[in-house]
Amino acid sequence: MGTEPERAEVSLLSVEGAGREALAEMRRLLGMLDSRKDPGALVPQPGLADIEDLLARTRGAGVATDLSVEGQPAVVSPALDLCAYRIVQEALTNVIKHAGPARAAVRVRWGWDVLELDVLDDGRGPVDANGTSCGHGIAGMRERSALHGGSIQAGAGTGGGFAVRARLPLATEHAR
């Protein structure tokens, strides 16, 4: 913050925006539990179709970010679509907050039975020796993916930096 105040401000505004989106999502979820409210009045949730906007906000925060999409996108449930989007969003928020000056790469790979998401950066790497921090972001990603039978791996990248890899099964999605 002391050496690059403009970059710090942009990064903090991006984190603030992600926090506001998470709070809005929580309010919508809680609102769905209130049977007196009309669920049709809720705003549509983001999904992987909105990933370019997410990447634009990340780039606006000063992180050069590339996207690659492999395979044929499948039709998935809104819940899985939101889960995938939020995993990428949280991983990119962590890049903004923790990686320092860095580049990021997002890969979305559609397999027949699995959706794989990779978010890699070339920044500082893990916060401590075992790749954990005191935050809730990675734990939240793990909880989201577990709800869909998926998994998250997060830690030092093979070439430095940090890597988040998510695997979300599509088999149950195809069976619907």
Side-chain angles (χ1 to χ4, degrees), residues 142-158:
R142 284 193 173 109
E143 290 169 4
R144 282 183 185 279
S145 66
L147 288 172
H148 298 278
S151 63
I152 297 282
Q153 292 179 330
T158 56

Side-chain angles (χ1 to χ4, degrees), residues 2 60 80 82 117 158:
L80 184 66
L82 175 62
L117 306 167
T158 56

Side-chain angles (χ1 to χ4, degrees), residues 6-174:
E6 289 93 18
R7 186 176 190 278
E9 180 182 7
V10 169
S11 294
L12 290 173
L13 290 172
S14 179
V15 170
E16 177 187 33
R20 286 185 193 282
E21 285 182 24
L23 285 172
E25 178 185 349
M26 183 61 68
R27 285 188 196 103
R28 283 189 291 272
L29 288 171
L30 291 173
M32 292 179 82
L33 297 175
D34 184 352
S35 61
R36 298 169 295 181
K37 293 194 177 183
D38 175 19
L42 300 175
V43 176
Q45 293 293 297
L48 289 176
D50 303 301
I51 202 158
E52 283 293 347
D53 292 336
L54 176 61
L55 296 179
R57 290 194 305 271
T58 303
R59 291 176 188 124
V63 178
T65 309
D66 298 319
L67 171 66
S68 69
V69 178
E70 301 172 15
Q72 183 63 38
V75 176
V76 297
S77 70
L80 184 66
D81 201 24
L82 175 62
C83 172
Y85 177 90
R86 293 292 187 217
I87 288 170
V88 173
Q89 181 183 41
E90 179 61 33
L92 289 173
T93 298
N94 286 345
V95 173
I96 293 167
K97 288 172 32 178
H98 302 296
R103 294 186 57 83
V106 175
R107 185 182 63 164
V108 178
R109 184 173 16 178
W110 295 92
W112 185 85
D113 62 346
V114 69
L115 170 61
E116 295 177 342
L117 306 167
D118 293 337
V119 180
L120 314 167
D121 72 67
D122 62 1
R124 281 194 270 264
V127 176
D128 63 24
N130 65 7
T132 62
S133 72
C134 59
H136 302 287
I138 293 173
M141 286 187 273
R142 284 193 173 109
E143 290 169 4
R144 282 183 185 279
S145 66
L147 288 172
H148 298 278
S151 63
I152 297 282
Q153 292 179 330
T158 56
F162 200 80
V164 173
R165 291 186 165 87
R167 290 181 51 86
L168 302 169
L170 296 176
T172 57
E173 297 293 319
H174 287 298

